[in-house]
Amino acid sequence: MESSCDETSAAVVEMGEGVRAIRSNIVASQIEVHRLYGGVVPEIASRAHIEAISKITYEALETAGITLADVGAVAVTACPGLIGALLVGVNFAKSLAYANKIPLVPVNHIHGHIAAAYLSNPTLEPPFLAVVVSGGHTQLYRVNGYTDFDVLGSTRDDAAGEAFDKIGRVIGMPYPGGAALDKLAYEGDPNAIKLPSPALAGDTLDFSFSGIKTATLNYLNGMQQRGEEINRADVAASYTHQIVDAITKKTELALKQTGLKTLVLAGGVAANSHLRASLEKLCKKKGVTLAMPERGLCGDNGAMIAAAGYFNFLRGSLANTSLNASACEIF
Ligand code: KG4
Ligand code: ZN
């Protein structure tokens, strides 16, 4: 079960020795509801989760051709995310597990994004380096084991996805702007506008996206004040180029620092075609194996939570009816 932001999702996944199979993965997106406001409205998200969650859970079971009696464990996103949205999934999963005497497994949403790569790459196993880029996170992880993660670097302010959405909105793209900017960037010149890099200088693996956002907004305001015409494709191309370049540079540095030979790219922004191409090029150059979830598993979905839940279940990380949700990462 996944309900941390604006997608309600339930999935049935079969995991075991040599088996990583998605039996169903139902995603009820709220994008249309939030588009009117240009971003996710937390209270509306919580209500929409409540309306959808029961229906999609039974749809997931039906599509998989099973009943609750066949379910070995219920995995649910317990952190991080919008607190009201998370609470809907957590409380629904708790009730479902308790009433049907099924083990309950809490999952960290970001670990779920990484686990999506196991579903699309059947032979993938730790250790590897993971770059998680989503609407709320931009982080580099050393994945030591299926449930063992070290954060090597992260954004000090905004996330890459949030940065894409913000500039997308300002240049008139519908929410969320990430996918639209991805397409538009092909029509522009990536070197047309000089923008600061989100990669922090030096050996750190941290990022900062607030500078590039402000610089782009200042550029757009300046153009408007002077009455000059804005070339939106050039903005999309230059902005995307700098973000992709920064993520690629820090990934290269992390590969060098850790000596790891496998890279996983995950999270909603992993669907970005420029970022995928850039990391493909880097991995080819460095002799590193690149594993990415298929595009349909990059955004928030229940299957990735189930996959991560399986490994937590094996470790014995279970919860009971006292499980609570948290907006921040607590495990
Ligand atoms: O992982 P996700 O579904 O939700 C969070 O956990 O935040 O990521 C959503 C983010 C949004 O910011 C969206 O604009 C971005 O992923 N995104 C993209 C693309 N597709 C989705 N960003 C850039 N290029 C894309 N093709
Ligand atoms: Zn996510």
Side-chain angles (χ1 to χ4, degrees), residues 109 113 134-136 161-162 164-165 176 178-179 182 267-269 271-272 298-300:
H109 180 80
H113 274 300
S134 73
E162 196 267 327
F164 274 125
D165 294 343
D182 186 350
V269 182
N272 186 277
C298 288
D300 294 347

Side-chain angles (χ1 to χ4, degrees), residues 4 9 35 48 70 104 108 111 125 149 153 157 163 169 190 197 220-221 240 242 258 261 268 276 283 288 300-301 310:
S4 67
S9 182
R35 189 161 279 164
D70 305 308
L104 176 66
N108 174 321
H111 300 171
E125 54 183 49
F149 307 83
D157 39 52
R169 188 172 74 188
S197 172
L220 293 168
N221 288 337
T240 301
Q242 275 296 41
T258 60
K261 285 288 166 202
R276 288 172 94 92
C283 288
V288 167
D300 294 347
N301 67 87
Y310 167 72

